[in-house]
Amino acid sequence: MSLPRNHSPIAQGTVSPQFYGKDRIIFVTKEDHETPSNAELVADDPNDPYEEHGLILPSGDINWNCPCLGGMASGPCGEQFKSAFSCFHYSTEDVKGSDCVDQFRAMQECMQKYPDLYPQEDEEEEEEEKKPAERLEETASTEATATKEEEGSS
């Protein structure tokens, strides 16, 4: 898209905006730029749910927009995730979250319906995790056999 000569797009101006899809472009003249801006800066609202406050908002509520959730609060299992996570967050049990088993089970069942979106641990990873333990068992077995042979030969 090319802009008319001597015009530049800015957020505010004196000319009617033109819309291009989701974008709004306002053209102003050089003279428009010469007058001081009357734009007012708005102080950040500490309760704005779209501000980045981390996982927990100042009010103590969960910030479902936090990037730390990795989008888990949206998608096909978002409601189950929110239910389970909320239950855990607000749990007052001695073992925190022990009263949330049903919610976490529902979330897990939902996620299993969408393996492409919520991948499980690969069987290869599980096998890799087992290999060191198997090696230890083999080593222990070999050492035990060697010890028995030494005892038998003495």
Side-chain angles (χ1 to χ4, degrees), residues 4-152:
R5 243 168 152 211
N6 299 328
H7 286 75
S8 63
I10 63 168
Q12 295 191 10
T14 58
V15 179
S16 300
Q18 294 181 8
F19 292 92
Y20 295 94
K22 65 176 181 51
D23 300 317
R24 180 176 78 162
I25 298 179
I26 301 172
F27 296 98
V28 295
T29 65
K30 183 177 179 182
E31 291 77 28
D32 290 330
H33 282 290
E34 291 174 352
T35 59
S37 171
N38 60 357
E40 294 180 27
L41 299 176
V42 179
D44 290 339
D45 178 2
N47 296 317
D48 183 352
Y50 298 103
E51 283 293 318
E52 291 186 26
H53 293 288
L55 180 58
I56 308 301
L57 296 170
S59 65
D61 292 337
I62 299 167
N63 179 8
W64 297 116
N65 297 314
C66 181
C68 62
L69 293 176
M72 293 293 293
S74 58
C77 300
E79 290 306 311
Q80 291 85 344
F81 174 79
K82 287 180 179 181
S83 173
F85 197 88
S86 294
C87 181
F88 181 83
H89 176 67
Y90 295 111
S91 176
T92 57
E93 295 295 314
D94 288 337
V95 177
K96 188 168 180 84
S98 62
D99 52 335
C100 305
V101 173
D102 292 336
Q103 289 90 335
F104 277 97
R105 184 173 291 124
M107 179 183 75
Q108 183 179 24
E109 288 170 0
C110 179
M111 290 177 170
Q112 287 171 344
K113 294 176 186 175
Y114 303 94
D116 292 341
L117 294 175
Y118 309 103
Q120 300 285 325
E121 268 192 18
D122 291 309
E123 290 178 10
E124 292 174 10
E125 288 178 13
E126 291 173 7
E127 288 175 16
E128 289 296 321
E129 290 173 6
K130 290 179 186 176
K131 286 182 182 176
E134 290 171 1
R135 283 190 211 117
L136 284 175
E137 289 174 11
E138 289 172 7
T139 304
S141 171
T142 305
E143 288 175 2
T145 304
T147 305
K148 286 181 184 176
E149 288 174 2
E150 287 175 13
E151 288 174 0

